[in-house]
Amino acid sequence: MEPAYASSALLPSLFRVTRARRETSDSVTLELAARDGDTWFPFRAGQFNMLYAFGIGEVPISISGDPTAPETLVHTIRAVGSVTRALCDMKKGDIVGVRGPFGSSWPVEHAQGRDVVVVAGGIGLPPVRPILYEVLAHRSLYGRLILLYGSRTPEDLVFPKELERWRARLDVDVQVTVDTAARGWRGNVGFVTTLVPRAPFSPENAVAFVCGPELMMRFAATELQRRGLAPRDIHISMERNMKCGVGLCGHCQCGPLFMCKDGPVFALPAVQRFLTIREL
Ligand SMILES: Cc1cc2nc3c(=O)[nH]c(=O)nc-3n(C[C@H](O)[C@H](O)[C@H](O)COP(=O)(O)OP(=O)(O)OC[C@H]3O[C@@H](n4cnc5c(N)ncnc54)[C@H](O)[C@@H]3O)c2cc1C
Ligand code: FES
């Protein structure tokens, strides 16, 4: 079955905001529906769309919804500059341009029969949320499911209600930490990487998916390897600046790799050397 919207690699399709939900003081989840026709929007966990705020600009944003329920297109956006601010200010009924889905995906199916370790920092949780949906939809095919999530403060945690729902399940291990907390916070304090050493997974039979600031991903990868995980079993999302999103402009190129087309999801050995190089 073909998706009901007309997609083109370079021409945005028009989508309408059907719901705008504030997550934190600077982040918003937008649910979108194709302006003409159905919203059926199949994607793989880890892929992104180019979202166009008309008159302002276009940015890559991961799809944060459920790949097993492609009838709703969901993105979670943190306002850091002009385009993301415009997207975060959108209200129900506003129009967004959408190109995509683009890029590589988290190799979730390769983790079948193994423990799944998801490590996310800050706004890195939305790009890995589809992994949790997918594993939970086929729960018996996977080993343990562990989510390690860190943010700057308790107020910066995205999806707090969903985190509570997952935490209440016996088949998911959710551990949350914050860098700094005021009195009253009863959870962990410290960087998300401090959760890795005591996370309950079997390193010889686990796959890790890591998303967050590059420094955090670098330290998380180091800790995961210290636990015994092979570098090939650690996957990260390289969220470098992009323009075309489809391998044409070279804006996202790192050596021989195009982050938009070959990535954004890579196994660690493919991109480890770029993690120490700041983008231009
Ligand atoms: C594949 C991919 C998936 C992404 N998924 C999400 C997502 O799900 N949610 C979300 O909120 N953001 C996501 N981002 C980051 C988002 O694209 C940037 O925040 C956005 O491009 C900033 O544009 P702007 O015009 O609002 O700000 P600008 O004015 O362009 O930049 C404002 C500040 O943000 C920094 N910045 C710009 N681009 C990036 C980037 N790619 N990563 C980190 N910092 C950046 C700039 O250096 C600057 O300091 C993703 C990026 C990529 C490449
Ligand atoms: S963003 Fe244009 S080549 Fe990747």
Side-chain angles (χ1 to χ4, degrees):
M1 193 166 134
E2 284 300 309
Y5 62 94
S7 178
S8 152
L10 294 177
L11 190 67
S13 301
L14 299 185
F15 277 63
R16 197 182 291 286
V17 175
T18 53
R19 192 169 177 208
R21 190 177 55 248
R22 186 148 287 283
E23 297 288 346
T24 66
S25 61
D26 61 359
S27 64
V28 165
T29 293
L30 296 181
E31 292 185 11
L32 306 175
R35 199 186 60 164
D36 308 310
D38 298 333
T39 334
W40 200 68
F41 197 99
F43 71 98
R44 287 173 283 123
Q47 288 194 295
F48 67 94
N49 281 323
M50 296 300 297
L51 296 190
Y52 189 10
F54 287 100
I56 301 174
E58 198 183 31
V59 288
I61 300 290
S62 302
I63 305 170
S64 64
D66 185 348
T68 67
E71 58 276 9
T72 313
L73 177 58
V74 186
H75 294 88
T76 304
I77 305 143
R78 179 156 160 223
V80 296
S82 55
V83 182
T84 47
R85 252 197 310 272
L87 290 168
C88 285
D89 284 344
M90 286 197 170
K91 303 278 174 291
K92 188 174 172 179
D94 287 346
I95 297 292
V96 188
V98 177
R99 291 193 293 125
F102 296 138
S104 61
S105 54
W106 302 106
V108 187
E109 61 291 349
H110 295 305
Q112 288 182 4
R114 307 170 78 181
D115 292 347
V116 176
V117 186
V118 179
V119 188
I123 198 69
L125 184 57
V128 294
R129 184 168 70 162
I131 301 173
L132 283 117
Y133 289 138
E134 199 157 318
V135 173
L136 289 172
H138 307 99
R139 188 64 194 89
S140 60
L141 299 180
Y142 296 87
R144 279 169 284 198
L145 174 58
I146 295 145
L147 171 63
L148 309 178
Y149 177 41
S151 74
R152 286 172 300 187
T153 71
E155 292 72 37
D156 293 313
L157 293 168
V158 292
F159 314 140
K161 288 203 178 104
E162 200 158 27
L163 287 169
E164 279 311 314
R165 273 202 302 278
W166 288 334
R167 205 201 288 269
R169 295 177 62 130
L170 297 176
D171 57 355
V172 193
D173 190 313
V174 177
Q175 298 186 28
V176 175
T177 184
V178 295
D179 300 348
T180 50
R183 202 187 292 249
W185 168 252
R186 294 204 301 274
N188 298 298
V189 177
F191 294 131
V192 67
T193 47
T194 61
L195 299 175
V196 174
R198 52 202 158 90
F201 62 89
S202 306
E204 68 285 353
N205 192 32
V207 179
F209 304 111
V210 184
C211 190
E214 285 193 19
L215 193 63
M216 168 252 151
M217 293 199 292
R218 217 166 86 204
F219 284 118
T222 303
E223 287 300 327
L224 289 161
Q225 288 174 88
R226 209 169 268 158
R227 276 288 305 268
L229 221 69
R232 67 172 180 277
D233 289 325
I234 301 171
H235 302 270
I236 66 174
S237 184
M238 295 288 286
E239 303 202 336
R240 295 285 173 111
N241 281 333
M242 293 178 184
K243 287 288 174 219
C244 71
V246 290
L248 292 176
C249 70
H251 202 80
C252 67
Q253 195 169 357
C254 284
L257 298 174
F258 289 83
M259 296 297 132
C260 64
K261 183 164 69 77
D262 303 311
V265 174
F266 292 94
L268 184 64
V271 285
Q272 194 155 22
R273 66 194 163 116
F274 302 124
L275 281 176
T276 52
I277 300 172
R278 287 181 56 177
E279 65 187 317
L280 301 173

